[in-house]
């Protein structure tokens, strides 16, 4: 009988321990991004100039080893480090599927051209002390 009580007590202690462990992991996970994902933190648009919109966005990314914050299909994404280092922006597929991607002459960014002729120019502007690409887009209508 005492052996049975001891077994139940140990089982109850193990279940409590597992519940505490799950609760602890959930608390740690809140506010953290899954590996390889990004989220937009701020997005500012300035349409004060005719036929031109300037947009600045800040993204938070949790990239895996060998990756860095970049842009894929017009959204923040984790991309391979070699793309950013070599400044071969079009390799990260920054434009939407129907748009054409071209590097700027000085390789400081890229343009996405829609079939109708609308051009979106994105230039690299990393904030002080950070790594990765914080794009600044200028859309010409």
């Amino acid at each position: 009988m005492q052996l049975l009580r001891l077994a139940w007590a140990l089982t109850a202690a193990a279940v409590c321990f597992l519940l505490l462990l799950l609760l602890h992991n959930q608390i740690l996970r809140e506010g953290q991004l899954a590996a390889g994902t990004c989220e937009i933190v701020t997005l500012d648009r300035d349409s004060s100039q005719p036929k031109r919109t300037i947009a600045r966005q800040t993204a938070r990314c949790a990239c895996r080893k060998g990756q860095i914050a970049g842009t894929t299909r017009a959204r923040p994404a984790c991309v391979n480090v070699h793309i950013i280092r070599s400044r071969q922006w079009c390799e990260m597929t920054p434009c939407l599927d129907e748009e054409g991607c071209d590097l700027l002459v000085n390789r400081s960014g890229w343009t996405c051209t829609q079939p109708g002729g609308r051009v979106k120019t994105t230039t690299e502007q990393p904030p002080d002390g950070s790594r990765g690409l914080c794009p600044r887009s200028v859309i010409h209508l």
Side-chain angles (χ1 to χ4, degrees):
M1 189 69 150
Q2 287 182 343
L3 191 56
L4 187 57
R5 286 184 186 170
L6 179 62
W8 277 108
L10 287 174
T11 303
V15 168
C16 287
F17 176 75
L18 287 174
L19 287 173
L20 285 172
L21 187 62
L22 288 172
L23 182 62
H24 177 65
N25 284 341
Q26 183 65 30
I27 290 169
L28 288 178
R29 216 176 285 143
E30 288 179 11
Q32 294 181 359
L33 294 174
T37 63
C38 297
E39 69 178 1
I40 297 174
V41 178
T42 62
L43 177 61
D44 300 315
R45 292 183 191 270
D46 176 7
S47 300
S48 61
Q49 299 178 18
K51 294 194 175 196
R52 190 173 180 183
T53 299
I54 298 174
R56 291 178 186 87
Q57 80 178 18
T58 304
R60 184 174 75 129
C61 297
C63 298
R64 294 182 172 94
K65 186 175 185 172
Q67 293 185 324
I68 196 165
T71 305
T72 300
R73 287 184 175 65
R75 304 216 17 101
C78 293
V79 298
N80 290 330
V81 162
H82 80 86
I83 293 172
I84 306 298
R85 287 187 181 149
S86 65
R87 302 170 77 83
Q88 294 296 322
W89 310 116
C90 291
E91 286 183 27
M92 64 183 173
T93 318
C95 303
L96 299 174
D97 289 337
E98 68 275 0
E99 297 175 334
C101 181
D102 292 303
L103 288 174
L104 295 178
V105 176
N106 61 3
R107 295 173 62 183
S108 65
W110 66 91
T111 60
C112 295
T113 307
Q114 293 180 345
R118 182 175 168 191
V119 177
K120 179 174 61 177
T121 302
T122 304
T123 57
E124 134 183 71
Q125 290 196 336
D128 295 336
S130 75
R131 300 180 317 163
L133 181 66
C134 289
R136 174 181 182 261
S137 296
V138 179
I139 302 168
H140 297 279
L141 303 175

